[in-house]
Amino acid sequence: MIEESSGIGFDGDSYLNYLLDKSSELPFPPRGIPALSPLEEDRERQLLIYFVLRSAMSLGSAADEAAVEVHRKWRRSAFDRALRLYWWTKQGHPLPLPTWAEETVVHVRDHLRPAFPQVDDIEVVVTFDPRLYVRAHHSTRQIRLSLVTRQLWHTIDLFLWNAVSVRQELIGTTGSNAALPNPSYDSLLSFLLPLYRNVRWDQIPMMRVRSELAGGGAVNAARIQMTFMIAHEFAHLLLHEEGRSGPELEAEADCFAYDALFRNPAENVTVGDIWMAIRWLFEILAVEKLLAWRLAGEEGTFAVTGPSRQTLIHPFVRSAGPSSTDIVLGGAGLYVIQSIRRQLAASSVKAVRESAARWESTLTSEEDDRPTSHALPMFPRPVPEA
């Protein structure tokens, strides 16, 4: 039976190396740690860095007050480091790549180099844009990824793995027919508000970790998804001319990325892991776009990817497909994110905007010493039905 997490967890794919490795520590600003800037653009970037650094440590859903206090001290330390890191970028230095990006870029380059020696000429850079993207730029031979993209992807993956963990706990108490949690899109909306509304990055709540299964699964899924997206953009730079676009090019880039994932998988990554993470990825893209549409005043639905593009993964998994366990766990998470997408598709602009406004009214900033309520578990402890 899965045990509920009661302590502190670390996200080794985030900026944990920057926070804990003394060799990567930045020079101390000559005038001491700077204050939060009164200028809106500078302040937003400071808080964006803080949000990412803060997220390297997480609380278990059953953490006690002692663990909460450890996490509170961690947040204060991350806040100071965020201010220092932003000061460093103002001196003309680029944002460092997080752990996952450093390792993923090396892995993808090593796979591509025999066929594409020019792969080493492509630079991967991190941007401050508060949007979710990984994009190829032909003119500069760069792949640009926003600082926040991986962190929010990881948050949504953790949300789904928490739901899977709850169901596994219920199976242990009620049997294999235990129902899946069916959370509202409203419970996910609060984590994405700064993408669409005037909400500070230090105001959004912190996703707790339901179990070790959820914590490890979310890190693994996010790395696979980001590897796929980066390899996809390498394809555009290596195979396609600037200015060309269309479904056939996107399909070719997808197959290029699948080849990189399946032919040379990272350590401890299985075919089932890839199958699960990519199926979740396309649904997450649809949910994020639907939220953006509703908050921008757009009704209606759309398809992020056509059915033919979503089936491109099938030839890569036929020879060594996902295990029955992968199918059960991945299918459970897929059910949850598809349910949220259907809820959003059926919701009006007015309803989604009202949900966003309700969340905004409850949020506090880090300067207000965020209360424990902002780190509540996303799912209640399972109670067997009578």
Side-chain angles (χ1 to χ4, degrees):
M1 180 176 175
I2 292 178
E3 293 186 4
E4 190 173 359
S5 178
S6 60
I8 294 288
F10 290 95
D11 176 2
D13 266 10
S14 188
Y15 277 94
L16 194 62
N17 55 340
Y18 164 71
L19 289 164
L20 299 181
D21 186 358
K22 292 294 183 181
S23 65
S24 64
E25 190 165 351
L26 299 175
F28 208 80
R31 297 183 181 179
I33 296 176
L36 199 60
S37 175
L39 302 176
E40 183 176 352
E41 181 179 353
D42 286 339
R43 184 173 64 251
E44 181 180 15
R45 290 181 173 186
Q46 288 171 324
L47 293 175
L48 180 57
I49 295 173
Y50 163 68
F51 161 71
V52 174
L53 298 187
R54 177 196 80 179
S55 303
M57 177 187 281
S58 57
L59 279 169
S61 57
D64 57 19
E65 186 55 38
V68 171
E69 180 58 30
V70 170
H71 194 269
R72 187 176 292 117
K73 291 177 179 177
W74 170 269
R75 298 200 315 267
R76 290 170 184 153
S77 174
F79 193 76
D80 288 346
R81 294 297 286 270
L83 296 176
R84 288 174 62 185
L85 180 52
Y86 186 63
W87 166 83
W88 184 244
T89 65
K90 295 288 279 186
Q91 311 309 305
H93 301 279
L95 279 168
L97 290 177
T99 302
W100 74 265
E102 288 181 348
E103 296 178 359
T104 294
V105 171
V106 169
H107 186 76
V108 172
R109 280 186 175 140
D110 287 347
H111 172 72
L112 299 177
R113 193 174 293 110
F116 301 95
Q118 69 272 36
V119 72
D120 291 315
D121 298 332
I122 297 172
E123 183 184 17
V124 179
V125 298
V126 182
T127 75
F128 280 112
D129 289 349
R131 293 172 292 167
L132 300 180
Y133 70 79
V134 181
R135 292 179 186 156
H137 289 257
H138 282 81
S139 60
T140 58
R141 302 293 288 172
Q142 287 182 336
I143 295 174
R144 299 176 188 172
L145 59 99
S146 69
L147 179 65
V148 74
T149 295
R150 186 266 170 190
Q151 206 56 58
L152 289 182
W153 240 248
H154 172 261
T155 297
I156 299 170
D157 285 323
L158 181 55
F159 179 89
L160 299 178
W161 269 108
N162 280 344
V164 171
S165 290
V166 169
R167 183 172 188 268
Q168 294 301 103
E169 293 170 33
L170 285 170
I171 288 174
T173 56
T174 65
S176 59
N177 291 325
L180 269 162
N182 191 26
S184 164
Y185 72 84
D186 186 70
S187 58
L188 192 57
L189 176 59
S190 61
F191 298 96
L192 303 175
L193 277 177
L195 296 173
Y196 324 110
R197 311 280 279 209
N198 188 24
V199 173
R200 287 169 40 150
W201 286 99
D202 67 327
Q203 290 181 306
I204 63 176
M206 292 164 283
M207 182 74 72
R208 289 202 182 191
V209 179
R210 183 75 194 189
S211 65
E212 287 188 16
L213 173 72
V219 170
N220 205 30
R223 176 174 284 223
I224 292 167
Q225 291 158 354
M226 296 306 298
T227 302
F228 173 81
M229 295 174 78
I230 284 180
H232 179 103
E233 299 307 318
F234 267 111
H236 285 313
L237 292 175
L238 295 170
L239 303 178
H240 304 146
E241 296 177 2
E242 184 174 8
R244 293 184 62 203
S245 62
E248 68 283 355
L249 299 186
E250 293 304 313
E252 185 177 25
D254 280 353
C255 289
F256 187 92
Y258 287 137
D259 186 73
L261 281 171
F262 284 99
R263 287 188 184 276
N264 189 25
E267 187 178 356
N268 299 323
V269 171
T270 68
V271 169
D273 293 333
I274 299 172
W275 175 84
M276 184 188 310
I278 298 302
R279 294 189 75 196
W280 289 10
L281 170 64
F282 286 122
E283 290 295 330
I284 292 169
L285 285 168
V287 166
E288 192 274 327
K289 191 168 184 180
L290 267 172
L291 275 175
W293 272 37
R294 292 293 184 267
L295 291 172
E298 297 285 345
E299 301 282 4
T301 58
F302 61 91
V304 172
T305 60
S308 59
R309 186 180 172 193
Q310 293 194 44
T311 61
L312 292 174
I313 194 174
H314 292 172
F316 293 91
V317 299
R318 280 182 185 143
S319 60
S323 68
S324 58
T325 300
D326 294 326
I327 291 172
V328 170
L329 298 181
L334 192 65
Y335 169 86
V336 172
I337 193 66
Q338 287 178 337
S339 174
I340 289 175
R341 176 172 56 79
R342 287 191 290 268
Q343 292 172 39
L344 272 171
S347 299
S348 66
V349 167
K350 179 182 178 183
V352 176
R353 284 180 167 178
E354 287 177 349
S355 293
R358 282 195 300 272
W359 268 110
E360 285 184 69
S361 68
T362 69
L363 301 179
T364 61
S365 70
E366 194 64 42
E367 293 172 323
D368 300 324
D369 196 16
R370 183 190 322 279
T372 307
S373 60
H374 275 69
L376 286 176
M378 280 298 97
F379 302 98
R381 291 178 174 80
V383 179
E385 296 183 9

